[in-house]
């Protein structure tokens, strides 16, 4: 099977868009993770601490982030690699206590199509620049 050029997902009963994204562990082996697409998150990826530890990602330090509540928090930041439109892409991974999120920084340059209904399909396609 060739590289995944279109990332597919599903609208859940809770109206989240759930996609499967392959993220490399510390040995370079890609592991599929179910991640919620979150256009309100402007980073690449956020993952729960236990997922980061199981992947063995490299710690980079702490960064200050503004949470959805408007509060600022210092969060741990890690280096990661994801398969994105068939290519390996370096990603910044923020450690969170909540669910895994795919944010706008990773989505940049992509086109998202959503069949907005429970069980509907979501497609994330590479969107080449025009002009």
């Amino acid at each position: 099977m060739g590289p995944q050029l279109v990332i597919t997902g599903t609208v859940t009963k809770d109206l989240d868009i759930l996609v499967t994204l392959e993220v490399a562990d510390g040995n370079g082996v890609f592991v599929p993770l179910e991640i919620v697409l979150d256009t309100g998150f402007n980073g690449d990826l956020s993952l729960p601490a236990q997922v980061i530890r199981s992947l063995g990602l490299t710690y980079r330090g702490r960064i200050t982030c503004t949470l959805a509540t408007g509060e600022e928090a210092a969060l741990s930041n890690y280096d990661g690699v994801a398969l994105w439109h068939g290519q390996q892409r370096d990603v910044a991974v923020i450690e969170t206590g909540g669910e895994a999120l795919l944010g706008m920084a990773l989505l940049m340059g992509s086109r998202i199509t959503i069949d907005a209904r429970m069980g509907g399909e979501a497609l994330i396609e590479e969107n080449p620049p025009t002009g």
Side-chain angles (χ1 to χ4, degrees):
M1 188 163 110
Q4 184 180 11
L5 300 177
V6 175
I7 297 165
T8 60
T10 304
V11 178
T12 69
K13 66 178 176 58
D14 296 324
L15 302 182
D16 288 327
I17 299 167
L18 193 62
V19 299
T20 300
L21 184 66
E22 293 189 51
V23 178
D25 68 12
N27 297 316
V29 176
F30 283 90
V31 177
L33 300 176
E34 287 194 337
I35 301 179
V36 173
L37 191 151
D38 183 356
T39 59
F41 168 47
N42 65 5
D44 286 330
L45 291 176
S46 72
L47 296 175
Q50 67 271 20
V51 174
I52 289 172
R53 308 243 188 296
S54 71
L55 290 171
L57 300 183
T58 303
Y59 179 73
R60 271 203 94 139
R62 295 186 65 81
I63 59 171
T64 301
C65 300
T66 303
L67 305 177
T69 61
E71 296 177 64
E72 288 194 352
L75 301 175
S76 295
N77 187 31
Y78 295 82
D79 289 329
V81 176
L83 279 183
W84 191 251
H85 300 305
Q87 303 292 318
Q88 291 186 23
R89 180 165 163 179
D90 292 335
V91 293
V93 179
I94 297 170
E95 180 180 314
T96 61
E99 60 193 345
L101 301 175
L102 186 162
M104 285 299 293
L106 190 53
L107 289 166
M108 290 300 293
S110 299
R111 177 188 327 234
I112 305 166
T113 307
I114 303 163
D115 182 6
R117 60 180 173 83
M118 284 188 282
E121 185 177 52
L123 301 174
I124 304 171
E125 303 170 274
E126 193 170 19
N127 191 14
T130 58

